[in-house]
Amino acid sequence: MSNPQRTPRIGYGWDSHEFQPGIPLKVGGVLIPHHSGLAGHSDGDVLLHALTDALLGAIAVGDIGTYFPPSDPKWKGADSVVFVREALKQIEHAGYVIGNVDSTLILADPKIGPHAKAIQQNVAALLGIAPSRVGIKAKTPEGMGTDHAAIAHVAVLLTEICWP
Ligand code: MG
């Protein structure tokens, strides 16, 4: 039987947050000028939350709430970069590195296209991988009735750390 540590691991995460007027909009750690931002206990960064869950899910060690319970006031207004860094620590500890990440954002407004490159570069820098390994895609919620919210889906592939 092959050592399960030697097989690549796939991870998947999903998140949604509601738009609220007058708060900053942060997606993938990038501030996007808009009249509304995403409400949440932390900074509401829907993409980084889905990414954190995808990373944790790939090694089956729970989800974002396992490490950062929303009931803990410590995480109120937290920069979601903290959540991703914890997930990175966990996957490194488990002996994996990130092969690639792919994502889809679903929101009516604002358009993500003009910011996609900045988001890609920021997420890649946060993960310590090349931007060419980070897919950022966006769609509008045609017929879903979710114009008041932003949704993110993220898939990751982890590969074993290759020791020299
Ligand atoms: Mg969230």
Side-chain angles (χ1 to χ4, degrees), residues 5 66 74 79 121:
Q5 288 288 324
T66 310
K74 194 159 84 180
D79 185 338
Q121 286 175 345

mmCIF file of all heavy atoms in Angstrom, residues 5 66 74 79 121:
data_model
loop_
_atom_site.group_PDB
_atom_site.id
_atom_site.type_symbol
_atom_site.label_atom_id
_atom_site.label_comp_id
_atom_site.label_asym_id
_atom_site.label_seq_id
_atom_site.Cartn_x
_atom_site.Cartn_y
_atom_site.Cartn_z
ATOM 1 N N GLN A 5 0.986 9.803 2.819
ATOM 2 C CA GLN A 5 1.724 11.067 2.841
ATOM 3 C C GLN A 5 2.297 11.388 1.467
ATOM 4 O O GLN A 5 2.658 12.520 1.192
ATOM 5 C CB GLN A 5 2.871 10.998 3.855
ATOM 6 C CG GLN A 5 2.428 11.030 5.302
ATOM 7 C CD GLN A 5 1.926 12.394 5.731
ATOM 8 O OE1 GLN A 5 2.444 13.406 5.293
ATOM 9 N NE2 GLN A 5 0.915 12.435 6.563
ATOM 10 N N THR A 66 -12.530 26.044 13.491
ATOM 11 C CA THR A 66 -11.821 25.190 14.446
ATOM 12 C C THR A 66 -10.701 25.985 15.113
ATOM 13 O O THR A 66 -10.429 25.834 16.308
ATOM 14 C CB THR A 66 -11.188 23.984 13.710
ATOM 15 O OG1 THR A 66 -12.168 23.360 12.896
ATOM 16 C CG2 THR A 66 -10.601 22.973 14.684
ATOM 17 N N LYS A 74 -11.505 37.983 20.165
ATOM 18 C CA LYS A 74 -10.134 38.248 19.689
ATOM 19 C C LYS A 74 -10.077 38.428 18.174
ATOM 20 O O LYS A 74 -9.223 39.129 17.644
ATOM 21 C CB LYS A 74 -9.268 37.067 20.118
ATOM 22 C CG LYS A 74 -7.782 37.301 20.004
ATOM 23 C CD LYS A 74 -7.003 36.361 20.892
ATOM 24 C CE LYS A 74 -6.786 35.029 20.188
ATOM 25 N NZ LYS A 74 -6.023 34.086 21.024
ATOM 26 N N ASP A 79 -7.576 40.797 10.435
ATOM 27 C CA ASP A 79 -7.089 40.703 9.063
ATOM 28 C C ASP A 79 -7.076 39.213 8.697
ATOM 29 O O ASP A 79 -6.419 38.401 9.359
ATOM 30 C CB ASP A 79 -5.666 41.284 9.009
ATOM 31 C CG ASP A 79 -5.118 41.332 7.590
ATOM 32 O OD1 ASP A 79 -5.609 40.580 6.726
ATOM 33 O OD2 ASP A 79 -4.187 42.118 7.359
ATOM 34 N N GLN A 121 -1.726 38.449 -7.564
ATOM 35 C CA GLN A 121 -0.363 38.686 -7.067
ATOM 36 C C GLN A 121 -0.324 38.702 -5.547
ATOM 37 O O GLN A 121 0.607 38.185 -4.929
ATOM 38 C CB GLN A 121 0.183 39.988 -7.654
ATOM 39 C CG GLN A 121 0.545 39.779 -9.126
ATOM 40 C CD GLN A 121 0.993 41.042 -9.835
ATOM 41 O OE1 GLN A 121 0.782 42.152 -9.340
ATOM 42 N NE2 GLN A 121 1.586 40.880 -10.998
#
